[in-house]
Structure formats: C-alpha cells, structure tokens
C-alpha cells in the first residue's frame, strides 16, 4: 500500500499544469469571461433570455484540439485504439488541474466519449461532446446541459440503460441565463420529434459495442469531483496569497487568527476531499465515488466562499476570479450526483452487510 | 414588555396604509435597472410624493425639515411600505439616511438651508465617498488626500463602492487632511459637487453582474472650504453622528422581504415536490424561527433607541445593532442557500430572481464591516474582552 | 410598542436572582451534585442501574417551599385564588433566572400545577409536581419523567386531551442512569393497573374545572425555553470570565481572536433567542413558541459547548460547572417539543395564509 | 497511488488474523473498569502474549528490542486488532508509545537496557507527567521545578491528565530546570519511580464521570540524575522525538471503531423508525463519507511516513497529521451528535454506551492541542501565513 503519486503520475500532472499555464493562463481566462459576458451580463439584468451561447461560444476550438493532442480525451482509450492507455487515477489528476485552471467546456463528457470511443473525433478534440444526465435527485428535472450549442454530439446517460449518442439538434432545449459566465446551459425538455433522425446506438463512429451508462455515470461523478477538488485547491491558494499581501491595521490580514482559521479550514476541506477522490479513482467503488463527490462539492463551494470572505470587498467584484470558482462549484454540485443522492446512497450502504 | 402598538402608532399605520393604497396605483412603471437617469427620475418622483404627503424625512428632526417621528413610527413606515410593495428609497438613500442627517446635526445654518430642503423634496441626489480600495475595515489606510489651497481643498485619490455616483449631484466625501495623525484622526468631511472638474466615475461590476456601485476617481479636484461640515480633521466624529439616525431600523424592509420570500419558497417547494423532503422542510422551518427572532430583535433595538432618545441620548443602537448584523447576514445567506436547495437545477438560472439574490447575499458578511470585524467589536466593546491583537 | 422590561419586571427578576444567590449559590449547587453523584458516578461506570433517585433525591424540600413562598409556583394563579396574579412574561423572567442558576427540580410542571390550581400544595411548594408528555416527535416513546421519586403528583399532558393528574405510584416506570446528575429520570412504560386508583380528573384539590392540555403544553414549552435561555446566558458569562482571567502565551486567552469570536457568537445566540422567547411570552402564539424553544435549545447547547471549548481541559473536569449546563441543556432539548417537532410546525406555518 | 497491500503485507495480516483467532478466546474476562489493579494485570497479560507471539514493540526499532515493522504493518496491526475486538494497549500505552520510544532514541545504553525490556514484556507500567493545570497549550508556563542537589534532582510541582498513575511504576516527567530560559527551553526529561516519597496521586474526575485521569502532586521528590534522558534543559527536544513513532497511525483503531459505530447506528435507526426521517438518514450518509475520507487520510499519512523513513527521515507525519486531527475531532463529535439524534430520549440514559461516548467525544477538540491551536499550526506552518499575534 502506497498512497503517494508515482513519478509518472507527478510528471503527467505537471505536464498538464504547464500546458494550461501556457494556453489558458489568467489572461486567457478573463478574456474568455469578457467574451462571454457581453451577452450574459445584459441577460442578468434586462429581460431578454440571452444565453452565453448566443453571445458567442465560450469554447476555444484551438485549445480544445490541443487538449485532445495532449491526450486529455483519449487518456483511457487503449493504445491499440490510438489512446494513451492510462487509467482513472491519471484522469483524476488531469481533471484536478483543469478544475484548478477553471478550464471551460464539457470536459467530462468529451473525455468519456473519447476514452470509450463513442464519438469519432472526441478523442483528439476535433469533436466536442456534451451529455444529458438521467433524472434528478427527486425524480425531477434533469440537470441542465452545458455547452450544447458548441457540441457536436450529446451522450445520454441514464442509469440502467445503455449509452445513447444524439446530435445536439435532436434535443428540445431552451437556453438558460447561466449562473456561470463560462458555462452556457440549456434546459432539456425532451427529444425533438420533427427533425429527429433517430438516436444512434452507443458506439457510433462505426463501432457497435454497447456500453452501459452505469460505468460512465460513475466515471462522470468521479471526474467532476476531481474538477471540484482542483477548484478548492486553487481558491485556497488565492486566499493564502491575498492574506499574505493585503494589509489592514498595520499588518497582513493573514496574521489575524480569524483569517488564519478560515484558511486552515480550507486546507482541511481540500485535503480530506483529496484523500477520498484519489482513493475512489483506484477502487472505482460506487460508495467511495459518492463520498468523493460529496466531499469535493463541499470543499469547492466552502473554499470558494471562504476565499471570498478572506478577500473582503475585492472578492465581491466581477474582476476577482473568486466568483468564477464559486459559480462553477455551485454548477458542478448540481451536476452528476447531487449531495442528496450521494448522502442517500452512502446511508443505504451502511445497512449492507460488510 | 409591551408588543402591542399604541393607539397613536396604530393611527399612524392606518393613515399610511390608506395613503399607500391611494398612491401606489398612480406610480409610473418601474424603470429599467440599467438606466440610471430613469431610476433617478423614478426615485425622486417617489420622494416628492412622500414630501407632499408629509412623510419626507420622517425620522429627521423637525428643525431640519423632518417629521420628528419616533423610531417606532419609522419602523412602522418601513414595514408598511415594504409590505405594500412601495418603491425603495433608492437614489435618495445617501441623502436621506447619511449625508442629510450629518448636515442636520453638524452643519452650519447656511449649510443646512442649502442642502437639506432639496434632499427632502427629491431634487438632489447624494452619493457616499467613504470606502477606498486599500482601506476596507481599516480607516488608518484612508489615502484620499486634501491639501488646503486658500479657500479650497485640492483633493486627489479614489473611492470605491459608491452607489448612484452616475446620477449624484453631491458626494459626501471623507478625505485625509492630516497624513501624520493616527488612525481615524486627521480626516475631514466635505460635500463635493459631482460636476467638479477632475471627478471621474467608473462603474464597478459586482459578482452578481450588476453595476450598482461605481468607483470615483478624484484628480486634483477643488472643493470650497465652505463645503466642509464640522472642523478640519474632525470628519470621523462628524460621520459617526450619522449612524444614530438609523435607530435600529436599518434592515426593517429587508427582514419583511425575507419573511415573504420564505413563505414563497415554502409554496415553491410544495409545488415542485421538494417539500416532501423532511430535510428541506425543516430547514425552512428553522429559517422561519430565525427571521421571527430577527424581527423581534429589530423591535427590541428600536425600543432601546426610542428609550435612549427620550432620555436625551443619541438613539444609536448599541449591543443589539452588532448582534443583529451578525445574525442577519448569516441568516440571509442561509435563506438563499435554502432557496437554491428548493430550486434545484433552476438555481443555476439567473432568470430566477432568487438565484440572483443568492449572489447578492454574499456581500452581507463583508459589507459595512466584515463578520470578522463585527465579532471583534462584540467581543471587545460589549463583552469587555481584552483588546485582540 | 416597547420591548423593554418594565421596572416591576426588572425588580421581580432581580429579586429572584437575589433569592437564588442566597439559597442556591455555587456551593449549594456543587453540594447537590456531590450528593447525587454518589450513585450516578458509580452507575456511569459499573453495570448496576442506580438512578440519581436511588442515591437520594436531588430535591431540597426546604428550598422548594421557599420558592413556593416567593411565588414561583403560584405566580400566575389569580390573586383571588391566593396567587400572585402575574403573567407569562413574568414567569419567563423567573425561569430564566432558574436556568441561569441551574436550579434542579420539576419547575415547569410544579409551576403549571400551582398556577392552574391543579394540585393542592403545588402553589406554595409543599407539593412537588412532575409531568409526563404525550408522544415523542416520531410518535415514538415519550421523553423521560424527571424527579418522579420526589414528586407528589404527576400531570399527564397530551395534546388534544384534558389534563389528568396521577399519583406517581400509578405510573409503570423504570429509573434511567440520567445524563444530568441533578435530574433523576424515569422511563415511563404505561399505567400500573394493579394498584391504580384511577386517574383523577384535572382540577384536583376540589375544583372541578377541566383544563385542556394544549394550553399547558404551550406554556411548558415556553418556560423550558426560558430555562434554556438562562443557561445560555450563564455559560456565556462563565466563558467571558474565564477568558479574561486565564493566561496563555503571555496574555489572557480572551485577547485571542479565536476565543473572542467564540464568545461573540455565544452572545449572538443568546440575545437572538431572548428576543423571541420574550416576545412569545407576550403573544403566546403557537408558532412563536416553537421558534422560542428551537432557538433557546440551540443557544443553550451551543453556548455550553463553546464555553467548554473556551475552558479547555479545565472545562472537561467534573469540578467545572460547564458540563452541568451542557447536560441539562441536552435534557431540556429532548423535553417539551424537540427541534424536529418545532421545525416541522414552523415549516407548516409557512404554508398558512397570512 | 497503489491502495492494494503488497503480498508481504497481506501475509503479515493473515498471520496476525490467525494468531488473533487463536488467542482471543483464551483471554481472561475483561476487568471492572474501576479496578485499576485488575486492569493493569489484564493489560500486562495481553502485552506478554504479544511479546511471546513476536508482536511486542511492533514499530520499535529492532536494536531496541522491537520488530522494526513498517508503518503500513503497524497500520494493519491496529486495524486488525480493533476489528477483531482484541484488547487495547491500555496501561501499556505510555511505555510503548511515548516513554519507550523516547528512551530508545535518546537514552544511554544502560538506560535502554534497564527500561525497555520490562515495557516490551509487560512488566512495568509508565505514565506521563507533561501537562500542568496552568500550562495547557503554552509550555512556557510549565512550572514543576527541579533543583539539582548533588546527584539528584529535587522536584516540586504538580501534573494533570495523567492516565494510569494509580498503577504506574514510572512516570516520564517534564520539569523545569532553568526558570530563566524562554518558552520550551530549560525543560528536562526525567524518569520518576512512582513509589518515591513525596509523590501523591489523586484521581481526576472528568465530565463523563470516569476516573481515567489523575493528578500527580510532587513534593520535594528526589530523582537520581541518572534517570535523566538527554541533556539538562534539552527535555523538549527529547520529548518531541517520541512523536515520530506514531507515524500517522495514532487513530487507526478509533477510526475503525467509528465506522463500526456508524453501521450500528444505521441499524438502530432502522429499528427505532428514525431511518424514515430523511434528515437523520442523510446525516448518517454524510458521516459515512467523512469517515471513509478519514480512513484514506490515515493511509496517506502512513504512506508518507513510510516514505520518509525509507528516505532516512523521521517519519513524523507533517501537514497530514494536523489536517487529520482537526477533521477527525470534529467528525467524532458529529458522530455522537448523530447518535443522540438516532437514540432520541434514550440518549439521556448513560446506560447507553453511545450516550457516554458522546460525553467523552467532547475532549477531542481540546486534548493534545485545542482545535484553535491546531488551526494556528496549520495556518502558520503549513500554509505559511504570517505569525499570528
């Protein structure tokens, strides 16, 4: 038993961090926000329903292809199928970096499609793939679909069914005014009957293999937890950096116990989440994946809020990045297994014989 | 302990209700929130109607042109206007609640005559230039400098979190006139005409995507010494006087609104099925208790303020004010978190009013003294714990 | 509208505080604990089920009569019936003082019996009265009965029924090892059929008036909230006193922000609870009484815990009083409307038309 | 990231399981918790069996008579003994986990030969004299004085929170030998024979009503200078060495036990109907996540310690240790609060094991560094924030 990352894993993670630093640094992030904000800013105030999509996609297709070339989407496809042949633990490390950088786009769905060979072009980033989840936690509406307008294909993941792949046009969907300026969202109402060419079975792009949605759903939950973990780590770094530098009452605010304790609490949240996210990547255990998502959601949301509190008024401005992390964290908490579902599953597991 | 209102108070309430029922249907349509000029016009129109009906400056002293109402009447006024859906004070906020009362208390007769009537009649808009990017909770860091040059001050610096700066006629400005003085000494209060050369207003976008605030940049702006209220370097004390005018009523309207939101949330939950979740239901139940208590805490603070005034005191809410602020900022955030739990995925849609208000609620533990600072104040000033370091 | 206490109310409260200072100071409290602890201390460790009662009642009958003479029990009985003729707000003030002093005994039931004239002798403290509540929050077992062995009569309060008065011997009950060393508890199983002389109707001591349990239940909830409020205030005082005096790292621990913030949070809890407890005493509104109990429970338990944390290791000893407050607060949170019930009622109230 | 155990580790586990299955049924009945002598006998008997089976001093270095096991083997040992319901280390705790490792690392050859074998064989019991009433988190306030008189130290003062003092043969004692030295300097480590004249032991009752701890009063107690481990005034460093021996395994047994408790609680809730309450159910579900994560955090800390040892380091858990401690003390209290929610009125009955454990859990945010101090440590030492004041 050795929990630590291997040298290869470290190198992989560092490589991703470098790639993102080079291709999606803070300036690129803010440029993307400014591009997307033209529409959603107005949308937030006036009455017109203008989604981020309508104001120009937030997706940079060049960057998407670079991510594809770097192996982010084909990471777990076997080398024989042109993939990288790595496993979930490695995918989790890369997604943590993506979460840290606030990388926009339907990363989870594209990775699932690329690694399972479900959509041609997903593996190298020439196709963008998004997904629709099954029913919500109360048997209610499904969570919204992200980046629908930019997507070339949509995975339909419903527990207990095989995966279906639709073209975006097949969905009857209405744009929402997305909370997250970097993630355009659509509310899905159902299938569009008129011009529907019929759902293609899973294993499009020629291959006929049927894939159960259950496996992919679990992976989606875990990878989303990894994104949340990365965000929680980043907001902690931001809080610590600010607390070191911002002075009030003649010293850095980080010298005040109240601020120190907020920051320490953030570290406790992120490191606790990390331990179970990494473990779940190895065990791929249903119960542990629920724990990973639950604690990573809590860490991402809690750390973003505390980061905002440490930043004070500055954190409340659009120009600070804190709100982008908080909004994405809120969004991801509603996607791919909510707290209600995770807690119920974790409760039921307690009654199973060991 | 007498929670019933007096006959006089009930009469005041009844008269107000009748007037509101008459006047509200005659109001023009609400302006576009992005159109500052239209908002100013709308808010000033409402102020003029209040003035004509005898409600302008309700809590101002009579000798300043106000109605000299008791804190309890002020409470009733705020409760009833919120409940009736009347316009909020809006662009009149700083004039009526901060700058005006300051001038009324500390201004010269000429200053009072010049500035107070236009505030009451809804003719002039004031904004507030206190906060600075570098001086959050710590006024020692206030850096906007004013250098005396004959009968003017030459002011250079910048202010932040200024509401209605785009349409304000005046800015109540705190400037540093003595850079050597420690902490809150060496600060002076000035009334700055916003059309003075050298004043630049830049909208400040919040995380909620709105432009409710602005930054104000001051580049060698010349302000007549006559515009100074109070003595030079005494601006902090002058400013503090303002606070007494809220008399515990600062959040009346908001708490009334929160309680309405809570009831609407329960109905929404009932409608979308989340009501069947005991955890969601009980969370709303607990919030009901929270906001009941906060409402009673307001009544208590107002009672204390009224008593203080009758005793010739300032009516500044003491312990109760900080206790209320700490609990309320927490409860308001919990309310909108509960709203998100009720909304589910719909909480991700900014077309949902509550989704947007959830974002705004994030400022409550920060603005007007972070919760951290408030805890310190309570610990040291109310509980008498030794000064923290 | 004037929320502040009247001068008479202040005088009444101060009188009670003085009485308790004179007759039940810290030394008396600790003597009572030591007396009761002989049995329960052993009980906490070995296997024998020895309740506090078996080891000698914790009730001082002399003190009880003095409380009766001071009007605590007959406070709300009309003067024409020999009572004091005051109202619930005054009762709440006295109960707050009792909670502050950690006064042991079935205060609520005795006060209800004395003020409503249900048990002869209750009004002047010559009779001790306890009570059984109706069903628990899940329709489950009733909360335990306190001070059964010391009681002369037992009120049975069941929502929707009239009050019944039993003699203690009529209850089939088993002693528990009470968490609270000052409050012996019995678990009630039902009525003892063999030697039962039948329940006397409410209005014993000759008077025949039937009293609905609903009114008394509401009053019991409110008065228990007042006891909790008093305890919350006392633990705050204890924490502040200790924080001022205890030094670590060269200064009083109260100068550390972490301790300051704990104490400030305690004040916020107790003052918020106070506002609604006092208001509920005036309105006697069902919904507001639930709010009062809920917030007073939270304040009493939360403040006792924080007081313990401020005291550090000292707070963990039997010799410190903190644990007595915490245990009593936990007990009272289970009595007379639990948080579950209060929250459900407060939730339902939100759906009622205004 | 390799969560599977190696073949060697699995063999170790299998051997241990076999041995436990053989030996546990042969143990004498558990002693009365109030009978200290019987407890000592029972615990020492268990230690002797461990010794005979080759498990004594599992994590001690071989040259100190231990087994030189890896941290992972130690983790497995603690996990398996807890899971099997084997006795806890009990009266052997201080000898095996604190005093022994200290002597092994810092003692002279003669000291090691005198003190280590009786600890491993279950012949001598040690207790710990570190804490003092006035020195909680702040060692600068350690006041038990030792004055050199020829070849003895004369020790006067008092110690608190000493477990097993009633039946201990030795006490590892921290005394102040230089009253002028700042903070943790000027402290010396002594081995005190508990039968020395002037030593008085008084049981200390906790809020749980138990007598697990004692106070030890020292009145001009004479301790030979030969009993000093390490140099005079170097006791703090000597003591710190001890910590390295836990290597992240300190709470293995407790977390295993908490996870079992959680499953039992779920069954209890199912049985008494509270399981139908979604809020109770989900609270248990969240605690399941908490304790899964804490278990993984332990494995991680142990992995880091093992790696550190292999690199020639101390194996002291760094960041992970404080993070674990903070989260665990919180989670343990939440576990027993949840237990109370499941038990309902039964939580008021100390005959319920969980009701009693709820009381004990209150010490977790206080003992061995309050959560406040732990937060400071994390902020300053791990996050590198400026030193708080």
């Amino acid at each position: 038993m050795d929990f630590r990352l291997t040298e290869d894993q470290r190198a992989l993670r560092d490589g991703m961090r470098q790639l993102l630093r080079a291709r999606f640094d803070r300036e690129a992030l803010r440029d993307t926000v400014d591009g997307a904000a033209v529409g959603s800013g107005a949308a937030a105030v006036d009455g017109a329903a203008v989604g981020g999509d309508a104001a120009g996609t937030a997706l940079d297709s060049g960057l998407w292809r670079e991510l594809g070339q770097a192996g982010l989407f084909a990471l777990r496809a076997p080398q024989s199928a042109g993939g990288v042949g790595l496993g979930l633990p490695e995918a989790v490390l890369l997604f943590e970096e993506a979460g840290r950088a606030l990388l926009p786009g339907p990363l989870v769905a594209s990775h699932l499609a690329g690694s399972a060979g479900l959509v041609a072009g997903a593996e190298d980033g020439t196709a963008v793939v998004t997904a629709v989840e099954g029913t919500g936690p109360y048997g209610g509406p499904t969570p919204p679909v992200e980046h629908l307008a930019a997507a070339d294909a949509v995975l339909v993941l419903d527990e207990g069914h095989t995966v279906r792949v639709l073209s975006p046009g097949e969905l009857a969907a209405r744009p929402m005014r997305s909370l997250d300026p970097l993630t355009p969202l659509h509310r899905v109402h159902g299938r569009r009957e008129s011009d529907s060419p019929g759902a293609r079975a899973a294993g499009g792009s020629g291959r006929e293999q049927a894939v159960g949605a259950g496996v992919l759903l679990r992976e989606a939950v875990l990878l989303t937890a990894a994104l949340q973990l990365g965000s929680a780590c980043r907001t902690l770094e931001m809080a610590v950096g600010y607390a070191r530098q911002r002075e009030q009452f003649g010293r850095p605010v980080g010298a005040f116990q109240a601020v120190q304790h907020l920051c320490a609490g953030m570290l406790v949240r992120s490191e606790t989440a990390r331990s179970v996210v990494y473990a779940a990547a190895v065990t791929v255990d249903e119960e542990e994946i629920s724990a990973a998502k639950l604690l990573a959601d809590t860490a991402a949301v809690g750390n973003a809020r505390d980061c905002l509190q440490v930043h004070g008024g500055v954190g409340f401005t659009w120009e600070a990045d804190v709100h982008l992390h908080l909004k994405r964290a809120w969004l991801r908490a509603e996607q791919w297994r909510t707290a209600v579902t995770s807690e119920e599953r974790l409760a039921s597991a307690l009654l199973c014989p060991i | 302990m007498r929670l019933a209102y007096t006959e006089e108070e009930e009469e005041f309430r009844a008269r107000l209700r009748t007037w509101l029922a008459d006047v509200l249907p005659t109001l023009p349509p609400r302006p576009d929130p992005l159109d500052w000029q239209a908002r100013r016009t709308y808010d000033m129109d409402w102020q003029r109607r209040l003035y004509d009906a005898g409600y302008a400056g309700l809590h101002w002293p009579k000798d300043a042109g106000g109605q000299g109402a008791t804190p309890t009447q002020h409470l009733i006024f705020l409760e009833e206007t919120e409940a009736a859906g009347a316009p909020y004070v809006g662009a009149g906020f700083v004039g009526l609640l901060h700058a005006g009362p300051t001038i009324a208390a500390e201004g010269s007769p000429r200053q009072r005559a010049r500035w107070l009537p236009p505030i009451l009649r809804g003719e002039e808009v004031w904004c507030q230039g206190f906060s600075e990017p570098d001086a959050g909770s710590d006024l020692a860091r206030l850096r906007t400098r004013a250098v005396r040059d004959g009968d003017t001050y030459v002011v250079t610096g910048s202010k932040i979190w200024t509401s209605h700066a785009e349409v304000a006629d005046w800015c109540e400005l705190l400037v540093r006139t003595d850079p050597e003085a420690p902490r809150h000494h060496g600060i002076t209060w000035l009334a700055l005409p916003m059309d003075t050369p050298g004043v630049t207003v830049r909208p400040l976008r919040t995380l909620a995507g709105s432009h409710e605030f602005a930054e104000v940049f001051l580049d060698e702006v010349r302000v007549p010494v006559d515009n100074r209220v109070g003595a030079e370097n005494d601006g902090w004390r002058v400013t503090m006087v303002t606070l007494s005018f809220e008399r515990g009523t600062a959040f009346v309207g908001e708490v009334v609104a929160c309680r309405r939101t809570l009831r609407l949330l329960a109905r929404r939950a009932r409608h979308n099925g989340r009501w069947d979740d005991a955890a969601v239901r009980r969370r709303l139940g607990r919030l009901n208790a929270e906001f009941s208590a906060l409402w009673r805490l307001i009544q208590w603070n107002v009672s204390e303020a009224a008593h203080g005034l009758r005793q010739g005191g300032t009516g500044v809410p003491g312990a109760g004010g900080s206790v209320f602020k700490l609990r309320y900022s927490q409860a308001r955030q919990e309310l909108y978190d509960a709203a998100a739990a009720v909304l589910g995925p719909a909480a991700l849609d900014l077309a949902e009013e509550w989704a947007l208000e959830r974002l705004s609620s994030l400022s409550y533990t920060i603005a007007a003294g972070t919760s951290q600072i408030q805890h310190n104040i309570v610990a040291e000033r109310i509980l008498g714990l030794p000064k923290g370091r």
Side-chain angles (χ1 to χ4, degrees), chain A, chain B:
Chain A
M1 194 270 303
D2 188 356
F3 214 112
R4 294 167 321 114
L5 304 190
T6 62
E7 276 188 32
D8 284 353
Q9 287 171 334
R10 273 172 220 273
L12 188 75
R13 182 192 62 188
D14 295 348
M16 181 71 172
R17 192 173 297 186
Q18 274 161 30
L19 169 68
L20 289 173
R21 251 191 216 136
R23 280 296 275 117
F24 195 71
D25 59 0
R26 181 161 194 274
E27 203 178 326
L29 171 70
R30 297 309 309 203
D31 284 350
T32 316
V33 173
D34 291 345
V38 180
S40 67
V45 179
D46 70 22
V50 181
D53 272 320
T57 171
L59 276 196
D60 171 349
S61 56
L63 171 57
W64 204 255
R65 273 193 300 274
E66 264 187 77
L67 295 168
Q69 278 149 25
L72 179 63
F73 305 124
L75 191 78
R76 294 184 298 121
Q79 287 181 321
S80 59
V84 187
L86 290 172
L88 267 177
E90 287 75 20
V92 156
L93 293 175
L94 297 193
F95 273 70
E96 182 184 340
E97 292 306 316
R100 180 189 290 270
L102 261 178
L103 190 64
L107 294 161
V108 169
S110 294
H111 170 93
L112 293 179
S115 283
L118 295 169
V119 175
E123 70 286 356
D124 61 3
T126 50
V128 174
V129 183
T130 188
V132 190
E133 292 181 59
T135 49
Y138 295 85
T142 59
V145 181
E146 59 178 44
H147 295 278
L148 184 63
D152 300 296
V154 186
L155 305 184
V156 181
L157 300 181
D158 215 343
E159 191 85 52
H161 294 81
T162 53
V163 180
R164 285 176 301 152
V165 182
L166 304 180
S167 76
E170 290 176 84
L171 287 178
R174 254 207 317 259
M176 293 163 60
R177 274 196 232 160
S178 175
L179 173 76
D180 176 6
L182 290 178
T183 311
L185 296 175
H186 278 75
R187 204 187 297 263
V188 176
H189 301 280
R191 290 281 296 284
R192 202 176 289 179
E193 293 304 328
S194 53
D195 56 342
S196 162
R200 278 182 285 154
S205 59
R207 268 163 298 123
E208 286 287 310
Q209 105 223 58
V211 180
V215 176
L216 266 61
L217 273 169
R218 266 206 290 286
E219 292 171 355
V221 173
L222 176 66
L223 293 172
T224 307
L227 291 167
Q228 295 284 59
L229 172 61
S231 173
C233 296
R234 182 76 193 104
T235 47
L236 167 59
E237 286 170 12
M238 286 159 60
V240 168
Y242 188 79
R244 279 213 198 98
Q245 155 253 312
R246 164 84 167 180
E247 288 196 14
Q248 291 279 279
F249 306 106
R251 54 188 163 126
V253 296
F256 290 91
Q257 256 192 340
V259 174
Q260 291 190 332
H261 289 201
L262 277 177
C263 292
M266 291 168 78
L267 182 75
V268 170
R269 278 197 211 103
S270 61
E271 293 312 298
T272 312
R274 185 192 306 282
S275 74
V276 68
V277 170
Y278 285 11
V282 174
T283 63
V284 203
D285 172 77
E286 171 62 36
E287 185 180 339
E288 193 148 35
I289 285 175
S290 280
K293 179 63 163 44
L294 184 62
L295 297 190
D297 283 346
T298 306
V301 171
N303 282 12
R305 290 185 92 135
D306 285 351
C307 178
L308 203 163
Q309 190 66 29
V310 168
H311 277 73
V314 170
F316 195 66
T317 63
W318 185 268
E319 298 316 314
D321 295 344
V322 198
H323 72 104
L324 300 172
H325 279 277
L326 178 57
K327 290 167 177 175
R328 191 76 65 85
W330 272 340
L331 164 60
R332 284 189 294 232
E334 284 292 330
Q335 294 176 311
W336 306 115
R337 205 169 292 179
T338 62
V340 169
T341 307
S342 293
E343 286 170 358
E344 288 287 4
R345 289 184 182 216
L346 285 157
S348 300
L350 287 172
L351 291 173
C352 298
I354 314 182
Chain B
M1 261 195 275
R2 186 171 46 72
L3 294 182
Y5 292 87
T6 62
E7 210 168 300
E8 197 190 341
E9 288 161 353
E10 289 296 4
E11 268 166 29
F12 174 82
R13 186 192 296 275
R15 220 164 42 238
L16 176 60
R17 276 194 189 173
T18 308
W19 180 70
L20 284 170
D22 287 345
V23 72
L24 292 183
T26 71
L27 293 189
R30 299 252 169 178
D32 180 335
L34 282 182
D35 185 343
W36 284 104
Q37 277 304 334
R39 285 172 67 171
R40 177 189 163 125
T41 304
Y42 183 87
D43 295 343
M44 291 298 109
D45 167 67
W46 173 242
Q47 180 59 28
R48 179 71 205 196
R49 289 170 196 253
L50 289 171
Y51 181 82
D52 291 341
Y55 291 113
L58 191 67
H59 61 298
W60 286 24
K62 286 198 168 153
D63 66 8
Q67 313 299 324
T70 64
T72 305
Q73 286 173 322
H74 194 199
L75 168 80
I76 292 169
F77 176 82
L78 294 165
E79 183 185 5
E80 291 296 329
T81 45
E82 174 62 36
Y88 181 58
V89 58
F93 184 84
V94 172
L96 285 157
L97 281 121
H98 286 108
T102 303
I103 295 160
E106 297 286 327
S108 66
R110 245 188 75 199
Q111 290 175 326
R112 290 159 59 108
R114 164 65 190 87
W115 285 318
L116 298 184
I119 292 175
L120 292 170
R121 290 194 302 258
E123 291 163 1
E124 289 185 348
V125 169
W126 285 69
C127 64
Q128 192 177 65
F130 287 6
S131 296
E132 296 186 11
D134 226 31
S137 304
D138 178 13
L139 265 168
R141 299 179 71 87
L142 191 124
R143 283 177 178 167
T144 295
R145 282 281 286 128
V147 181
R148 182 81 175 252
D149 179 20
D151 54 1
T152 64
Y153 288 105
V154 183
V155 181
T156 299
S158 68
K159 295 290 177 178
I160 197 170
W161 303 117
T162 308
S163 301
H164 299 100
E166 291 86 343
V167 291
D169 304 291
W170 297 91
C171 179
E172 55 164 340
L173 197 64
L174 288 183
V175 295
R176 183 163 294 285
T177 33
D178 180 354
E180 307 299 321
R183 294 184 53 76
H184 47 265
H185 306 288
I187 291 173
T188 299
W189 195 105
L190 298 177
L192 160 73
M194 287 295 281
D195 57 3
T196 314
V199 176
T200 313
V201 174
R202 193 160 69 194
L204 177 72
R205 203 165 174 211
T206 70
L207 57 74
S210 72
H211 297 86
E212 284 301 305
F213 303 102
E215 287 177 282
V216 177
F217 299 91
L218 306 162
D219 182 16
E220 302 204 352
V221 172
R222 300 186 77 89
V223 183
V225 171
D226 283 351
N227 285 15
R228 187 187 74 214
V229 169
E232 189 168 282
N233 296 330
D234 197 27
W236 183 242
R237 190 194 58 75
V238 168
T239 303
M240 283 297 103
V241 168
T242 307
L243 290 180
S244 69
F245 281 77
E246 287 190 336
R247 293 165 182 162
T249 60
F251 295 95
V252 169
E254 291 196 15
V255 170
V256 170
C258 283
R259 298 185 81 182
R260 185 176 53 228
T261 297
L262 199 50
R263 301 180 74 90
L264 291 172
L265 264 180
R267 278 167 174 68
R268 177 74 168 256
R270 209 21 197 247
H271 187 256
N272 75 10
R274 303 250 164 159
W275 189 257
D276 298 334
D277 179 336
V280 168
R281 212 163 55 223
R282 296 219 291 268
R283 194 168 166 184
L284 296 179
R286 184 169 281 267
L287 281 166
N288 188 4
E290 283 293 327
F291 282 99
S292 298
L294 286 166
W295 178 252
R296 296 307 189 185
L297 209 45
I298 283 178
Q299 288 186 316
W300 201 332
N301 288 341
V302 166
S303 296
E304 294 289 353
H307 176 73
L309 278 179
R310 284 194 301 271
Q311 305 291 308
T314 59
V316 179
S322 295
V323 166
F324 176 87
K325 169 82 162 68
L326 274 169
R327 188 81 172 214
Y328 172 58
S329 34
Q330 182 76 26
R332 190 178 172 98
Q333 292 181 356
E334 284 167 14
L335 173 67
Y336 287 107
D337 285 342
V342 168
L343 289 172
L348 303 171
D349 192 344
L350 291 179
E352 286 282 354
E353 181 192 4
W354 293 327
L356 210 54
E357 284 183 12
R358 184 188 195 192
L359 289 175
S360 309
S361 78
L362 294 170
S363 73
Y364 278 74
T365 47
I366 293 171
T370 64
S371 291
Q372 280 71 32
I373 298 278
Q374 296 285 345
H375 273 108
N376 274 25
I377 291 172
V378 169
E380 293 168 14
R381 298 197 201 152
I382 304 176
L383 297 176
L385 286 172
K387 186 126 184 66
R389 284 180 295 175

